[in-house]
Amino acid sequence: MELFYLLVFGGLAVVVATMELSKSNKDRINTSSAFNSFKNNYLLVYSLMMAGDWLQGPYVYYLYTTYGFGKGDIGQLFIAGFGSSMLFGTIVGSLADKHGRKRASVTYCITYILSCITKHSPQYRVLMVGRILGGIATSLLFSAFESWLVAEHNKRGFEQQWLSITFSKAIFLGNGLVAILAGLFGNLLVGSLAMGPVAPFDAASIFLAIGMAIIISSWTENYGDASESKDLMTQFRGAAVAIASDEKIALLGAIQSLFEGSMYTFVFLWTPALSPNGEDIPHGFIFATFMLSSMLGSSLASRLLARASIKVESYMQVVFVVSSVSLLLPVLTSFLVAPSQEKGGSIKFAGCIQLLGFCVFEACVGLFWPSIMKMRSQFIPEEARSTIMNFFRIPLNIFVCIVLYNVDAFPITVMFGMCSVFLFIASMLQRRLLGVAERSRQDKVRELESEPLNIED
């Protein structure tokens, strides 16, 4: 393996380890033993859920090719997954608010296990059903668990600031360390042990089943609005009204869709960007490097969120600007670095520059997740949390489906340029959100100050 990859990975590993080991009292929050027990239980479950997800990711496309499907058929399968997440995600989110987030989390496990089972069949229709189930599971993964956590945290009377500890640790472990270990474990199953491309999906089912057992045995149920008088359409209208009537929620939804849309587009584009002439690049090692970068971002987020003087709405403006610049690098290198005509071989100079930029973007992703979770916990009303969070995913899934359908229609530099513009727009919306949130806080302070005067009157 080239020295360049090892230097980047090693440098990131040293920085992450240094940041974690050098945390001072200012970077830590004193908590109770009851909270630590609650937090560790959630982190164990979340890590198992993410292990089940990460094990599948690198092998979905590869499995489909071993069954003899071409790029067009595989593209339709991926579109079906995002489409089902868009169509059914809002429904399952509303059901989670009404019938219970614990029940929705168990449903996630069952649905994803069934999706894994379909991977044993080479029949296109069965695989399509699996993608639809996977899309539904994805919607539950990114709404039900967070909704359960926030509601349970508040129900148990823990301090609000402690929530940021759980968020940052969940991303550090679930989206960083677990992703790296899952990649290595999947490579062991498929490569070293030669168990075939379905083996990671079977392993994912086992992790999901273990997590489901822990949820059933240790979690208590909580709800959004469980009143029998509210049907599904009433919940939808309530969520839509909340988004339309509260500018903070609307801005948060737009910011999330712009960032996540750019992030998922990046997932499709980084391989051709680094190997435009069929260069031989170590995909698994680069993926592990990206996850290490994400761990760096989440470690930095935990420091920022631990300080009450630093507002999450403020520093996220910088995060979006930096992420915008990092995805602009492929466009800049296409103009500033002479393109190589050599086919194959190792990564070129332009690819090295882009890889460093992509690591910066992944660090921004690591910062984004705990920070957006923190803002959602502040601004989204509890009674419709899962419903609203899945509403946010509708424009995201539409965007990703359009990108997937037209991925060959535009040059890669145009796609990266589009993502960079979206991220810059997100930074502008984040600036607006900061202003709106600050005015809202000032209004609440004035109301509290006026209350004693009203009592005396």
Side-chain angles (χ1 to χ4, degrees):
M1 187 175 296
E2 289 187 22
L3 180 63
F4 173 71
Y5 300 117
L6 296 173
L7 287 174
V8 174
F9 186 89
L12 284 168
V14 169
V15 173
V16 171
T18 302
M19 287 189 67
E20 283 297 299
L21 295 174
S22 65
K23 284 184 176 179
S24 64
N25 290 332
K26 290 182 178 179
D27 303 315
R28 303 180 189 274
I29 303 174
N30 293 323
T31 59
S32 66
S33 58
F35 169 76
N36 289 332
S37 177
F38 167 74
K39 177 196 69 177
N40 292 336
N41 173 272
Y42 178 80
L43 292 177
L44 174 61
V45 170
Y46 186 78
S47 296
L48 288 168
M49 299 301 103
M50 293 307 298
D53 189 49
W54 286 118
L55 272 168
Q56 301 178 56
Y59 297 98
V60 176
Y61 194 100
Y62 174 61
L63 177 70
Y64 293 154
T65 59
T66 61
Y67 287 152
F69 297 111
K71 189 176 181 181
D73 289 333
I74 295 174
Q76 290 178 13
L77 287 168
F78 274 91
I79 290 173
F82 286 104
S84 74
S85 182
M86 177 181 64
L87 292 174
F88 301 117
T90 309
I91 297 173
V92 296
S94 299
L95 293 175
D97 285 330
K98 187 175 180 63
H99 298 288
R101 281 75 176 266
K102 174 185 175 180
R103 191 172 286 120
S105 299
V106 171
T107 303
Y108 160 79
C109 298
I110 295 172
T111 306
Y112 225 179
I113 289 172
L114 291 174
S115 176
C116 291
I117 292 173
T118 64
K119 300 299 188 294
H120 283 270
S121 173
Q123 295 184 21
Y124 193 77
R125 290 181 179 178
V126 176
L127 294 173
M128 182 66 75
V129 171
R131 287 301 299 174
I132 293 171
L133 291 172
I136 296 171
T138 300
S139 294
L140 288 167
L141 175 61
F142 291 109
S143 60
F145 289 88
E146 182 181 331
S147 296
W148 180 89
L149 170 66
V150 174
E152 196 68 19
H153 181 99
N154 294 330
K155 188 170 73 174
R156 299 191 183 198
F158 298 135
E159 291 186 23
Q160 190 65 28
Q161 193 182 9
W162 295 357
L163 199 55
S164 62
I165 302 175
T166 311
F167 286 150
S168 56
K169 285 294 183 184
I171 300 305
F172 184 85
L173 294 172
N175 289 32
L177 184 62
V178 169
I180 296 172
L181 294 176
L184 295 174
F185 185 49
N187 188 68
L188 174 69
L189 294 174
V190 177
S192 303
L193 300 179
M195 297 177 68
V198 182
F201 298 92
D202 293 335
S205 298
I206 295 172
F207 283 114
L208 292 167
I210 295 171
M212 181 171 64
I214 296 174
I215 292 172
I216 292 171
S217 62
S218 63
W219 284 22
T220 58
E221 189 60 275
N222 63 54
Y223 305 86
D225 188 343
S227 59
E228 294 297 328
S229 59
K230 286 193 174 182
D231 58 16
L232 208 57
M233 290 308 299
T234 304
Q235 286 182 274
F236 286 168
R237 283 194 293 270
V241 168
I243 295 171
S245 61
D246 191 333
E247 187 178 359
K248 297 189 295 296
I249 299 177
L251 287 168
L252 196 62
I255 290 167
Q256 179 178 323
S257 294
L258 288 167
F259 188 90
E260 290 192 40
S262 301
M263 180 185 70
Y264 284 117
T265 303
F266 166 77
V267 170
F268 303 131
L269 297 181
W270 72 261
T271 296
L274 297 179
S275 54
N277 296 317
E279 287 86 349
D280 183 20
I281 59 175
H283 293 85
F285 197 80
I286 291 175
F287 172 78
T289 304
F290 287 163
M291 294 304 99
L292 198 56
S293 301
S294 179
M295 290 174 69
L296 172 61
S298 62
S299 181
L300 179 57
S302 68
R303 288 173 176 249
L304 295 171
L305 292 169
R307 305 188 180 218
S309 60
I310 300 177
K311 292 184 175 63
V312 61
E313 300 92 345
S314 181
Y315 72 74
M316 282 307 294
Q317 296 178 74
V318 180
V319 172
F320 290 135
V321 171
V322 171
S323 61
S324 175
V325 174
S326 66
L327 289 195
L328 194 62
L329 277 178
V331 181
L332 297 177
T333 54
S334 69
F335 289 105
L336 300 178
V337 180
S340 174
Q341 303 302 321
E342 179 186 352
K343 298 293 183 182
S346 60
I347 190 170
K348 305 301 186 293
F349 177 68
C352 291
I353 296 174
Q354 290 178 40
L355 178 59
L356 294 175
F358 293 165
C359 287
V360 172
F361 177 73
E362 284 291 344
C364 291
V365 172
L367 272 158
F368 168 80
W369 283 117
S371 302
I372 198 73
M373 289 174 176
K374 176 68 173 176
M375 288 189 285
R376 286 195 298 239
S377 71
Q378 292 174 338
F379 301 137
I380 298 179
E382 180 58 43
E383 63 270 14
R385 184 176 301 277
S386 293
T387 307
I388 292 175
M389 287 171 63
N390 278 297
F391 261 51
F392 289 172
R393 296 184 65 82
I394 292 176
L396 160 68
N397 285 303
I398 292 174
F399 173 73
V400 174
C401 286
I402 292 173
V403 169
L404 272 174
Y405 191 76
N406 297 283
V407 71
D408 293 327
F410 300 100
I412 194 169
T413 52
V414 172
M415 303 290 279
F416 274 112
M418 177 184 67
C419 291
S420 180
V421 170
F422 286 167
L423 292 168
F424 185 75
I425 294 172
S427 73
M428 295 294 99
L429 294 180
Q430 184 66 48
R431 183 179 179 84
R432 172 69 179 172
L433 178 59
L434 173 64
V436 174
E438 192 60 37
R439 285 195 298 273
S440 179
R441 290 191 188 102
Q442 291 172 358
D443 291 341
K444 288 182 179 179
V445 170
R446 281 194 291 268
E447 287 178 10
L448 291 173
E449 290 175 346
S450 65
E451 281 181 3
L453 294 176
N454 293 333
I455 293 171
E456 290 175 5
D457 293 343

